[in-house]
Amino acid sequence: MLERHEIEAFLTLAEELHFGHTAERLRVSTARVSQTIRKLERRVGAPLFDRTSRRVALTPVGRRLHEEVRPAWEAIGAAYERAADAGRGLTGTLRAAFTGAAAGQLLAGVEELFRSRVPGCEVVIREAQPGEVAPWLRDGEVDVVLTTLPVPGADAGPVLVREALMAAVPAGHPFARRESVGPADLERVTVVELAGGGRAAPGSPGPRAATLHEALTLVGAGRGVLLVGAQTRRYYARPDVAYVPVRDAPRVEWGLVWRAGGETGRVRAFGRAAVDLLSD
């Protein structure tokens, strides 16, 4: 039987056709490569390479051995990589969710980069309402969610996006004519509550909405104001709603979250893809 170092030396020399270059690739001495090949040739019973002072070439026996061994060796390597990926949790299915249109667009880009890196892992994308993020993670409905931070009871990766805080107000509201509003202004208004999302505001509690579209409909109907990130103005433009910047407010942060203690190899690889995508 061939030993691993013999196979590697033979295949590398068959590719390089140069003992020095082969030794560099294998990080051994040239003498070690020559010794290994000579030992292999003695076991085969025939020369595998023709050697002169000017060139190294495969003999007919060596060429046939190379043609038959190389595909099998590559198959063994691929099988090992698949097993290692499975051990690291990089095969199977990753269930990823997002909240909001901007997060959906970003998640699609992350998914594309992730799939190019981890082709053996299937990605299933779902949209979640803000109020569904925590229970979906807790119950194992999804593995990772791109949403606003923080999410109670969940672990989170690095902040991926930061955006200004805006107040969504009825188009006819006095605030709609302002360049900005401050925290003191918000104390005088009724605030629409978005289940599981939105930023707490100092105003009077108003009606509760299950989805962002429902919350903005309540805003347009004059039932209150809603605090949102700046991207909402772009992705959810409505004639009955105006978006006004909020002064002196912390920025809204977005990132990937997963169930506490549930960071798998797939989740780590997906998180790296997200960071790399935004750093390019």
Side-chain angles (χ1 to χ4, degrees), residues 19 31 64 66 140 148 150 152 228-229:
F19 279 87
R64 180 175 179 180
H66 178 260
T148 53
V228 296

Side-chain angles (χ1 to χ4, degrees), residues 3 66 174 211 213 222 241 254:
E3 297 183 13
H66 178 260
T211 70
H213 283 293
V241 174
W254 291 77

Side-chain angles (χ1 to χ4, degrees), residues 93-97 107 111 115 122-126 142 144:
T93 301
L94 177 75
R95 297 161 299 175
L107 193 72
E111 186 260 356
R115 286 173 64 90
E122 179 184 1
V123 181
V124 176
I125 295 180
R126 301 177 61 183
V142 294
V144 63

Side-chain angles (χ1 to χ4, degrees), residues 124-138:
V124 176
I125 295 180
R126 301 177 61 183
E127 180 179 11
Q129 299 302 326
E132 295 173 328
V133 173
W136 278 15
L137 290 172
R138 183 186 62 242

